[in-house]
Amino acid sequence: MIIVIDFGSQTAHLINRRIRDLGVESRVVSYKISLEKLKNLKGIILSGGPSFVNLPNSPTISKKVFSLGVPVLGICYGMQLMGKILGGEVGKGKNKEFGVVEVDLKKSKLFKGINGKQQVLMSHGDQVLRLPPGFINLGSSKDVPNVAMGKEKLLAIQFHPEVIHTKNGIKILKNFIFNICLARKDFNQLKWQKSEIKGRAICGLSGGIDSSTAAALVYQVIGRQLKCVYVDTGLMRLGETVQIEKDFKKFFKEDLIIIRAEKQFLEALKGVEEPEEKRKIIGNLFIKLFEAEAKKWGAKWLVQGTIYPDVIESAPTSLKLRGVSAETIKSHHNVAGLPEEMKLKLIEPLRDLYKDEVRQLAAKLGLPKNIIKRQPFPGPGLAIRIRGEVTKERLDRLRQADKILQEEIKEPVWQTFAIYVPLKTTGVKGDGRSFEDMIAIRSVTAKDAMTADWTRLPYKLLAKASARIVNEVAGINRVVYDITTKPPATMEWE
Ligand code: XMP
């Protein structure tokens, strides 16, 4: 296994991902990791980071890391740390480098097949001014004499090989991993999981790709020790529960448990208008139902489909960087919204993966296409698409309006959905006055869930959907189109 030691880098996780893409097992760990855990590895990578090695409390590691006999590759801050710890000199040079820079890399094992002039991405203020004893220079740029250095299996580069702007970055990582670490290409998600789960487990299936993939993966590892629980909350879209049950039954057979809990959810949500309160009620009820199932089954583990972007979004530090505290956005009910006193132990096999990796894995595991292609749908379901109190009548109207919208939409975008707005406005239906609720249409395009733009849906499509909604859905006399970006709005209305 390769370990990426993280010094607070934005891209430590990306380095990890690149290594896994090359077929080698890899993990990101904090720089506070004990020396003991770094023995018997194939290789160690020291990430970049925002600090300066000469500051008194900057993150660091033991000098002994460099004498374990394990190959080490320092990247950016990692290079400077290696330089300083091993007796070189680090400081500000004449110039700083930020952006794409041309470097000249020397013939060496690390740069095998790519040595010479090329473009790389730099982002640094400090640099290694004097190499540590025994090290040789492996490359330079116009402004920085030491952009790469090495001494046997200790190697370092000032630039970032993990980002696409460094043209031969992947080749450099490949050289390090296969020619210097002598790692083997045998990374396999299934094997990786085996050591993590012992005994019986249950998994809450929402019908979304993440929980389905997590369940399928764990199912491959522990087989019938896993029970998958789908909760029919009554908060799903038209026909969705029937379809999901059909798809999952094929995959999990007798190990699929379906809990009919519409009544319980509607009862618990009665009279509740505040979005965060709704989310908490729903999250708690889910966990209560899962815990009851786990007790029946004797399971100690709860499998969750948390993926890497969820971890970032729920992490208070990343939110603080954006000027908000974790509480003020919304509690996604995996990660941040779990009750504190939950008795089950969590297993999150997708915690390190990005969405596209999850999709690839889902396909490999043979999950039905319907599930792999599904648009994201929030855990609390339609409850958070009804602004205010959730009632059966509002749910039924929203389901009908949403179905019409889905029928009219031809181009797939990130998400397109209807929202029930219980705000009465005046209209005219037939010859009489109407005073009824409204439906909002929301359609967003996004690369990830952090930011989004509203989709410019064709007027013709909007006109048809609007006409059909006011004609076919009882109690609705107005349709509005949400034209707000995220931020400041979020995708969902609650
Ligand atoms: P927001 O509304 O935060 O939504 O801009 C971003 C994406 O996340 C989905 N979403 C959720 N997914 N549990 C989930 O599993 C939740 O509680 C939840 N809330 C929002 C939303 O549909 C969008 O894709």
Side-chain angles (χ1 to χ4, degrees), residues 195-375:
S195 54
E196 302 220 359
I197 321 166
K198 292 179 184 72
R200 293 181 169 187
I202 66 158
C203 178
L205 284 180
S206 70
I209 173 133
D210 301 343
S211 64
S212 317
T213 309
L217 183 60
V218 174
Y219 200 47
Q220 294 259 330
V221 179
I222 64 169
R224 303 205 56 197
Q225 302 238 72
L226 176 74
K227 290 274 179 243
C228 296
V229 184
Y230 174 78
V231 182
D232 177 5
T233 57
L235 305 170
M236 301 299 271
R237 288 163 293 186
L238 209 65
E240 198 165 22
T241 288
V242 175
Q243 185 62 43
I244 287 175
E245 285 178 18
K246 214 171 110 198
D247 288 336
F248 281 145
K249 201 90 220 167
K250 271 192 233 147
F251 200 90
F252 296 106
K253 306 202 170 73
E254 302 99 276
D255 299 309
L256 175 70
I257 297 169
I258 292 167
I259 305 178
R260 310 274 167 207
E262 179 180 17
K263 257 193 169 157
Q264 263 168 286
F265 276 86
L266 291 191
E267 193 57 42
L269 290 167
K270 217 177 204 160
V272 183
E273 292 187 2
E274 210 279 312
E276 279 303 280
E277 204 184 332
K278 282 196 215 169
R279 283 173 174 274
K280 294 219 166 88
I281 289 171
I282 294 168
N284 282 326
L285 193 47
F286 264 115
I287 294 296
K288 221 174 98 192
L289 295 168
F290 291 154
E291 279 185 338
E293 267 332 293
K295 202 166 168 198
K296 274 193 235 160
W297 176 235
K300 296 232 162 23
W301 296 93
L302 175 67
V303 180
Q304 281 240 341
T306 314
I307 68 170
Y308 186 63
D310 301 335
V311 179
I312 306 202
E313 266 200 70
S314 297
T317 43
S318 71
L319 291 174
K320 269 187 209 132
L321 284 177
R322 285 148 53 194
V324 278
S325 81
E327 268 68 40
T328 51
I329 301 201
K330 47 181 94 163
S331 338
H332 282 212
H333 79 249
N334 40 13
V335 195
L338 287 174
E340 272 167 27
E341 70 283 9
M342 193 180 73
K343 294 182 196 89
L344 293 163
K345 279 187 276 184
L346 266 191
I347 169 111
E348 298 175 314
L350 312 179
R351 213 180 158 82
D352 280 337
L353 304 191
Y354 289 85
K355 197 83 172 181
D356 58 324
E357 289 180 289
V358 175
R359 287 224 164 81
Q360 283 169 16
L361 183 60
K364 251 193 232 161
L365 290 164
L367 276 169
K369 278 211 179 72
N370 288 341
I371 290 181
I372 300 177
K373 284 197 308 205
R374 244 173 128 238
Q375 282 186 12

Side-chain angles (χ1 to χ4, degrees), residues 429-445:
K429 269 191 180 172
D431 288 331
R433 173 184 189 264
S434 69
F435 191 54
E436 292 174 328
D437 290 344
M438 65 174 97
I439 288 288
I441 296 176
R442 179 85 162 136
S443 180
V444 285
T445 41

